[in-house]
Structures are given as structure tokens and as C-alpha cells.
Amino acid sequence: VFRVLFYLISAIVLISVLRGVIGFLASLFSQAAFGTGRRAPVSKPPAQSPTHSHTLKRDPVCGTFVPTSTNEQIERNGETYYFCSAACRAKF
Ligand SMILES: [Zn+2]
């Protein structure tokens, strides 16, 4: 009976030691992954500039700045006018 108990205890100890080693290795790997991950955000800020590259044109009716991608636009005398809404375009 004692021998079985001894084997059981030694097995439990072995498993816990193995778990500790695996956990230690996992933390090492995650540290390595975070180490490379920390460098990536540094190169991120330049990626935000495209959102500001949208050219804004002033709505001649209400004075609001609207992106040139808007559907509310009119071409008059060779110039394109951009509007914030269909109502502003109708007033123009
Ligand atoms: Zn407007």
C-alpha cells in the first residue's frame, strides 16, 4: 500500500514539476512575443495620416467643411461645389 502511495505522490510531484517547467517556458515565449510586439506600435502613428488626407471643401451655403467624397456636389462654371446635404445643394 505504501509503495502505491509513494508512486502516486512521485507522479503528482513529477506532473507539477513538468507543469512548472512548461509554464516557465510559456512565459519566456510570451515575453519574446511581447518584446517583438512592443516595437510594432512605434511604426503605427504614420498609418493614421491617411485619415487626414481626405480633402475638405467648404459648403458655400452653410459654411460647413465636407469631404470631397460626398455625393452632394454640383459643377458650375468649371468649379465643383460640395454640400453637406441635399437641402444646401437645393438652396445653392
Ligand atoms: Zn450645408
Side-chain angles (χ1 to χ4, degrees):
V1 182
F2 282 115
R3 212 179 251 184
V4 172
L5 236 151
F6 173 75
Y7 277 126
L8 212 92
I9 287 163
S10 62
I12 287 164
V13 167
L14 206 89
I15 284 163
S16 62
V17 165
L18 270 171
R19 269 190 183 176
V21 169
I22 287 163
F24 175 72
L25 283 174
S27 70
L28 268 180
F29 274 118
S30 66
Q31 264 185 357
F34 276 122
T36 54
R38 264 178 219 150
R39 278 171 214 163
V42 180
S43 59
K44 255 191 177 180
Q48 282 183 339
S49 53
T51 53
H52 295 286
S53 68
H54 258 299
T55 42
L56 292 173
K57 290 283 178 180
R58 200 170 176 168
D59 179 334
V61 177
C62 68
T64 321
F65 283 94
V66 286
T68 52
S69 56
T70 182
N71 289 324
E72 309 298 341
Q73 47 181 280
I74 276 181
E75 237 190 84
R76 198 170 276 187
N77 304 323
E79 239 186 292
T80 312
Y81 296 93
Y82 300 90
F83 305 93
C84 68
S85 62
C88 276
R89 193 180 61 177
K91 269 188 204 171
F92 187 71

